[in-house]
Amino acid sequence: MLGHLKDYTRSIGTKEPASMTAAGKPLPDVNTMIERLAARLETTPEDIKGWQMLGWSYFHTARYRQAATAFARER
């Protein structure tokens, strides 16, 4: 999922289309992907890279308090 979120965010602001799933369907919108990542981290709280990605995602969507909380969890 993190790879998909990275691919999707790289495509924003470029002429490239957003990534597609293996089945050829477009990926969900970024807010849906962020919420899925947050839900996954509830069951895998030791995933440091996941917390970093969540913090970065929240930060770049102007959700600064949530970003600070996520970045604090990565330690």
Side-chain angles (χ1 to χ4, degrees):
M1 181 183 291
L2 290 175
H4 291 303
L5 184 57
K6 287 178 183 177
D7 291 342
Y8 181 83
T9 55
R10 276 190 213 113
S11 72
I12 295 173
T14 67
K15 293 182 181 183
E16 297 176 24
S19 295
M20 304 292 264
T21 65
K25 297 179 183 177
L27 292 172
D29 68 275
V30 74
N31 288 323
T32 300
M33 294 182 78
I34 290 170
E35 295 312 314
R36 287 180 183 173
L37 175 58
R40 186 178 62 76
L41 288 170
E42 289 179 20
T43 61
T44 57
E46 70 284 348
D47 182 357
I48 293 171
K49 289 190 180 276
W51 288 109
Q52 291 171 339
M53 178 59 69
L54 185 62
W56 180 88
S57 299
Y58 281 146
F59 181 82
H60 287 285
T61 55
R63 295 153 86 177
Y64 302 116
R65 284 186 185 202
Q66 290 171 300
T69 301
F71 283 128
R73 292 288 304 264
E74 73 178 66
R75 297 172 192 212

